[in-house]
Amino acid sequence: MENKLLEIINTVLLNRGNEELKDLTKNTQLRNDIGFDSLDLAELTVRIEAEFGIDIFEDGIVLTVGDIISKITAI
Amino acid sequence: MPDIFYVDTLNGLRISYSQLIDDLNKIKSFNPYCHQQDYYSIFKSLLISLLIDEPIYLLDSDLSQAEIQHVIETDKIDTAYIIEVSIDKICDQTELYSRINKVKNWQVYLCTSGTTGLPKMISHNFNSITRMVKRSSKHSQDIWGLAYNPTHIAGIQVFFQAFLNSNALVRLFNLSNDVIIKSIINEKLSHISATPTYYRLLFPINKIIPGVRRITSGGEKLDLITTQKLKDVFINATFMNVYASTEAGSVLASENDIFTIENEHIGLFKILNQELYISPELMGKSSSFNLKEDWFATGDLVEVISEKPFCFRFVSRKNEIINVGGYNVNPHEVEEILRSIETIKDARVYPKKSSVLDNIVCADIVSSDKSLTIPEIYKILRSRLQEYKIPRIISYVETIQLTRTGKQNRS
């Protein structure tokens, strides 16, 4: 699941013309570390929902990769 | 001029006006609920309804029973309403026209998709449905391509334009590109009327077709790239944009994307919050119209070019604008940019719900050459579009979804 998440995050980065990430940690911050803006986060949530069937931003703020993993594993 | 009424290459039909009259003379029954696949049968039903001056309900052949029940509140259309007819023998075309010109009560009922997505019926009388038909000896040599569904208003208008001038009508709707191009060339078409989406899907044509004299476009906004591609193929054609809807019929025509309201029609149109409103005087009849103080809200957003003369151009459909976190994205603008990329043949831009922003913009693209990667497409888009307008998800697809009318399906 972490690999798939890395692939999705890298798709968002590559399509924006940014460098790919080699790995992720649970503490990696979506905005501060990866540099995602609101459009990137909106795309990320749609792509994650298509893959894992969960809207990660539906009920609250998601700041880190760990927050996403918690939401996905909670289903 | 050869005596030809209708040509349908797919079904091997070549019907003359004489045969049409023979066939009409043989008809002994009529079902006002016309739910048929065969275009020639639809035309015969339409003409019989005119000859007996009775209403006709034109239903798309692919409407489901549930949809039919919704619009006409019956599911027994095949047999329950058939009436016997006994028309006096029609001797020739002159007599056919003279009898049709005498209609008083005739109405044609058509389906419109309606704002909720469920079809609704709207009726037009003979005058409103033929409002833009040009009937004169100047048009006696025209040969028309039918590139619309014949049960839809644009298809019926093309039918009447051809029929009332004794022209040949050649089927171009729901055929493969090869058959369409062959039909245009072999049948020596002079006039084609279609949606911009229909024209776009014809490309690449790789031929010059000098015989076509008039290309009419309607139902959607025609973009400049498609116009130029059409001009490169139909080198002798003049271009006409028609603004029409099922509710109002054809109301405006222009040789470019700017529509001018003539002084005598100035009271029939108004613009409120960028949206075009049409006076009830121009409307067909239906209980389902979205009327505001008696004016029909078209749902079409326009940009006023000048007040005197009153000129405007269409920008988008109101319900097509995509809200991305408070920014409005016009899908037509994005599609036009996507289509300007050489390898992209067609594009469909649509919203996808996102809980972060209201929507994100997505795009399906059609291309016969997929060597251009998605990141490369993004690189091009970044130089041509503001960030919030760039589709966040772009997918290569084989075909673009179309509505029954042949317009892009944006739902």
Side-chain angles (χ1 to χ4, degrees):
Chain A
M1 185 253 283
E2 277 84 352
N3 285 345
K4 191 70 205 176
L5 191 56
L6 178 64
E7 190 186 318
I8 291 173
I9 288 172
N10 277 336
T11 302
V12 178
L13 285 168
L14 272 181
N15 288 347
R16 299 287 82 69
N18 296 321
E19 290 280 309
E20 274 186 290
L21 296 177
K22 293 203 167 48
D23 48 39
L24 290 172
T25 70
K26 288 193 175 176
N27 295 328
T28 305
Q29 299 224 354
L30 302 172
R31 280 178 180 270
N32 296 340
D33 296 333
I34 304 178
F36 277 171
D37 62 14
S38 58
L39 282 164
D40 297 324
L41 291 173
E43 177 184 341
L44 181 74
T45 182
V46 169
R47 288 186 183 275
I48 288 177
E49 188 170 3
E51 183 65 34
F52 298 105
I54 180 167
D55 179 353
I56 53 168
F57 278 89
E58 193 178 18
D59 55 356
I61 299 167
V62 173
L63 295 175
T64 63
V65 168
D67 292 342
I68 300 177
I69 293 170
S70 305
K71 296 258 180 187
I72 295 170
T73 49
I75 6 172
Chain B
M1 191 74 183
D3 171 23
I4 301 173
F5 163 66
Y6 177 60
V7 178
D8 181 341
T9 314
L10 186 72
N11 294 312
L13 279 183
R14 182 172 288 270
I15 310 284
S16 65
Y17 275 89
S18 318
Q19 188 182 335
L20 170 71
I21 291 168
D22 280 350
D23 290 342
L24 290 173
N25 280 329
K26 285 177 199 155
I27 290 175
K28 300 287 175 220
S29 64
F30 167 70
N31 186 341
Y33 296 108
C34 177
H35 184 224
Q36 304 184 67
Q37 264 188 330
D38 165 41
Y39 295 2
Y40 182 50
S41 299
I42 295 169
F43 300 143
K44 282 188 293 185
S45 292
L46 197 57
L47 292 173
I48 286 290
S49 74
L50 282 160
L51 288 166
I52 61 174
D53 208 4
E54 288 282 339
I56 182 165
Y57 294 74
L58 292 182
L59 304 166
D60 289 352
S61 59
D62 61 348
L63 272 182
S64 68
Q65 285 302 319
E67 287 170 311
I68 290 171
Q69 262 180 295
H70 175 81
V71 290
I72 57 176
E73 292 165 5
T74 178
D75 57 348
K76 294 177 183 162
I77 58 163
D78 290 338
T79 53
Y81 295 93
I82 292 177
I83 51 176
E84 281 185 26
V85 293
S86 150
I87 53 167
D88 293 336
K89 191 176 177 211
I90 310 155
C91 295
D92 54 25
Q93 262 177 275
T94 313
E95 194 186 336
L96 178 62
Y97 292 129
S98 125
R99 280 162 64 175
I100 283 172
N101 283 335
K102 286 178 191 151
V103 293
K104 286 189 183 123
N105 304 315
W106 183 82
Q107 298 274 325
V108 59
Y109 288 79
L110 305 164
C111 280
T112 180
S113 55
T115 48
T116 60
L118 281 168
K120 290 171 182 149
M121 295 309 275
I122 280 164
S123 74
H124 283 275
N125 61 29
F126 191 66
N127 286 338
S128 68
I129 204 98
T130 58
R131 188 188 292 140
M132 301 272 271
V133 168
K134 305 269 188 298
R135 205 174 171 183
S136 75
S137 56
K138 199 179 115 189
H139 294 286
S140 63
Q141 306 297 307
D142 295 351
I143 302 173
W144 275 86
L146 177 69
Y148 287 105
N149 192 327
T151 56
H152 288 206
I153 191 153
I156 299 164
Q157 286 171 328
V158 170
F159 167 80
F160 277 119
Q161 176 63 44
F163 171 74
L164 293 174
N165 285 290
S166 304
N167 300 153
L169 186 63
V170 178
R171 175 180 170 172
L172 300 179
F173 190 69
N174 254 351
L175 301 175
S176 69
N177 279 6
D178 280 357
V179 177
I180 292 170
I181 300 299
K182 270 184 200 156
S183 298
I184 294 173
I185 296 169
N186 296 348
E187 300 300 333
K188 300 184 171 58
L189 296 198
S190 62
H191 289 62
I192 304 172
S193 177
T195 61
T197 298
Y198 179 95
Y199 289 126
R200 273 196 297 275
L201 295 177
L202 275 184
F203 294 113
I205 295 179
N206 301 327
K207 277 189 179 76
I208 287 174
I209 306 178
V212 175
R213 301 198 307 273
R214 167 81 78 177
I215 291 284
T216 303
S217 149
E220 295 170 302
K221 191 170 176 252
L222 179 64
D223 59 276
L224 293 174
I225 295 164
T226 308
T227 308
Q228 191 51 54
K229 283 183 176 175
L230 286 167
K231 284 180 176 172
D232 292 343
V233 173
F234 302 104
I235 53 170
N236 293 322
T238 52
F239 287 73
M240 179 68 76
N241 276 318
V242 172
Y243 175 67
S245 65
T246 311
E247 293 86 351
S250 295
V251 286
L252 292 168
S254 162
E255 287 179 10
N256 51 43
D257 63 341
I258 297 171
F259 291 88
T260 303
I261 309 286
E262 304 297 333
N263 276 340
E264 64 262 39
H265 298 140
I266 218 100
L268 300 174
F269 300 88
K270 69 175 179 183
I271 292 165
L272 208 62
N273 298 328
Q274 265 196 293
E275 183 176 357
L276 179 70
Y277 285 74
I278 296 180
S279 159
E281 280 179 55
L282 290 173
M283 304 298 297
K285 287 193 173 62
S286 171
S287 56
S288 65
F289 284 151
N290 178 18
L291 292 176
K292 194 172 182 178
E293 292 169 2
D294 291 339
W295 286 75
F296 175 67
T298 61
D300 289 309
L301 299 179
V302 300
E303 174 195 356
V304 176
I305 307 293
S306 75
E307 295 287 349
K308 284 184 183 172
F310 187 31
C311 301
F312 58 82
R313 71 157 63 92
F314 289 92
V315 177
S316 174
R317 292 281 301 162
K318 197 175 170 185
N319 60 7
E320 286 173 2
I321 294 288
I322 304 171
N323 186 322
V324 179
Y327 290 95
N328 285 338
V329 177
N330 180 352
H332 296 276
E333 180 191 359
V334 183
E335 283 167 4
E336 200 163 338
I337 295 290
L338 281 164
R339 285 187 212 111
S340 71
I341 298 173
E342 209 179 327
T343 57
I344 296 179
K345 187 176 162 191
D346 202 6
R348 167 184 172 249
V349 169
Y350 58 96
K352 203 162 234 178
K353 281 277 164 209
S354 156
S355 49
V356 179
L357 305 167
D358 287 347
N359 298 286
I360 60 167
V361 179
C362 299
D364 289 345
I365 52 174
V366 178
S367 174
S368 46
D369 171 12
K370 297 190 177 75
S371 59
L372 193 66
T373 64
I374 300 287
E376 284 168 338
I377 293 172
Y378 275 112
K379 200 172 169 189
I380 299 169
L381 292 180
R382 277 198 293 277
S383 68
R384 297 183 191 179
L385 279 172
Q386 289 172 277
E387 186 67 28
Y388 70 95
K389 296 177 184 169
I390 297 174
R392 303 297 298 204
I393 297 178
I394 299 178
S395 317
Y396 274 116
V397 296
E398 291 304 313
T399 52
I400 297 285
Q401 284 180 37
L402 299 182
T403 64
R404 288 193 180 101
T405 315
K407 297 185 209 173
Q408 281 209 9
N409 187 350
R410 295 176 191 282
S411 58

